[in-house]
Amino acid sequence: MTEAVSDQHRSTTDDRGQSAGSGRDGLRYLLVLSRPRFWLYLAGPVAVGVTYGIGDVSGLFTPVTVALAAYFLVPANVFLYGVNDVFDADIDELNPKKESREARWRGSRAVVAAVVAAGALGLATLAVTPRVAWPYLLGFLALAVGYSAPPARFKTTPFLDSLSNGLYALPGAAAYATVAGAHPPLAALVGAWLWTMGMHTFSAIPDIEPDRAAGIDTTATLLGAARTYAYCFAAWTAAAAAFWLVDPRLGALLGVYPIFVAWVARSSVSVDRAYWWFPALNTVVGTLLSMGGLWRVYPLWEALP
């Protein structure tokens, strides 16, 4: 009888999860699925790309720049993490992060429709952006799917999982190309890509044990925690060097990341805890990058009374 009651409880819970795909519960679930703490990981690069691509402040807020920022703030996150959660449903059953900070996949039709609609909205951005921005927009959508979905499923192949996370740099490149009418500097694109590689691999360290338990191979599970720290240090150092070629001040700012990972690796701070500090760190760095771009077209002394 105990087993029957337990089975009935699980069935009731599953039914609740399915019904949560509509109404207020469905919207709340989509909000959690989209990882609000990480919204600026896609929208932030748009702000940086715009501030460095414009020729004067009149190009800062236009219908196109606002549309790109709005898409990459929420819908793009619904698409990216929705695809991820669809194909990671079984794996996430073993992931402790899904207990509180993130949501386990519920599989309702309404949620699937929302994820598909978010992807279609991404394709719609091609209608309002110049052709020079299309490779970056299409690249984002392709990698957002390929990272999690078969047959590519880059996230299960060591080093390709890291490399494919350059998708986070592509919104910024698209925004720059949209307002500048030209591709971003190659060194900046390389530096941003290397930065995302370090971010992704660092974020995979807390998942080493759950991923190993689920039989998932990643850069972090292959290298182990100690060598993964070294990998992140190398990626972020190379990113800082690439940005130094664009502007030494940018390289110096990005230098905070290798310093940070070296400190975490040598300190008693849990990587699970440090992982959740990164949204704040990235927001500060991104704000400073954006302010630097603004000061380029509107010097600070002109803003002072």
Side-chain angles (χ1 to χ4, degrees):
M1 178 178 291
T2 302
E3 293 178 358
V5 171
S6 178
D7 289 342
Q8 183 179 6
H9 172 73
R10 282 197 296 270
S11 176
T12 302
T13 301
D14 290 344
D15 290 343
R16 270 197 215 108
Q18 295 293 333
S19 65
S22 59
R24 184 178 301 176
D25 286 342
L27 291 175
R28 186 182 299 113
Y29 171 72
L30 280 174
L31 182 68
V32 176
L33 175 147
S34 68
R35 320 289 204 270
R37 288 182 179 85
F38 304 145
W39 280 358
L40 290 181
Y41 283 11
L42 293 179
V46 172
V48 174
V50 168
T51 57
Y52 283 92
I54 57 177
D56 58 71
V57 292
S58 64
L60 191 59
F61 296 105
T62 68
V64 176
T65 60
V66 171
L68 284 176
Y71 175 70
F72 283 106
L73 182 64
V74 182
N77 282 289
V78 171
F79 179 63
L80 175 63
Y81 294 115
V83 173
N84 177 84
D85 287 359
V86 168
F87 293 99
D88 275 9
D90 294 339
I91 299 169
D92 286 342
E93 290 297 326
L94 303 173
N95 193 332
K97 286 195 305 187
K98 300 295 180 177
E99 294 291 342
S100 56
R101 295 182 184 269
E102 298 177 6
R104 286 191 168 91
W105 178 251
R106 293 182 178 180
S108 72
R109 292 177 182 176
V111 173
V112 171
V115 173
V116 172
L121 193 59
L123 288 174
T125 61
L126 300 179
V128 298
T129 52
R131 289 180 180 271
V132 68
W134 290 2
Y136 306 111
L137 294 169
L138 291 173
F140 167 79
L141 295 172
L143 288 175
V145 174
Y147 176 73
S148 300
R153 198 157 164 77
F154 297 125
K155 71 180 301 176
T156 62
T157 304
F159 300 112
L160 282 182
D161 60 338
S162 176
L163 184 63
S164 64
N165 261 254
L167 66 92
Y168 285 95
L170 295 178
Y176 180 97
T178 294
V179 298
H183 296 288
L186 181 59
L189 190 57
V190 170
W193 205 286
L194 287 165
W195 175 83
T196 64
M197 290 171 62
M199 272 300 305
H200 166 267
T201 310
F202 184 89
S203 71
I205 297 175
D207 293 334
I208 288 177
E209 293 309 319
D211 284 344
R212 284 175 173 171
I216 299 299
D217 295 323
T218 68
T219 302
T221 62
L222 176 67
L223 297 178
R227 286 186 293 180
T228 301
Y229 282 127
Y231 177 93
C232 295
F233 180 87
W236 278 329
T237 300
F243 275 106
W244 185 278
L245 296 177
V246 180
D247 189 312
R249 293 167 294 185
L250 300 180
L253 180 59
L254 269 291
V256 70
Y257 288 97
I259 294 173
F260 183 85
V261 73
W263 173 72
V264 172
R266 292 179 173 272
S267 73
S268 60
V269 175
S270 168
V271 67
D272 299 74
R273 183 182 180 191
Y275 168 72
W276 294 105
W277 293 344
F278 266 97
L281 175 61
N282 291 336
T283 298
V284 171
V285 172
T287 299
L288 291 175
L289 283 172
S290 296
M291 293 304 296
L294 286 174
W295 292 336
R296 179 183 57 86
V297 294
Y298 192 70
L300 177 62
W301 54 85
E302 293 186 12
L304 296 175

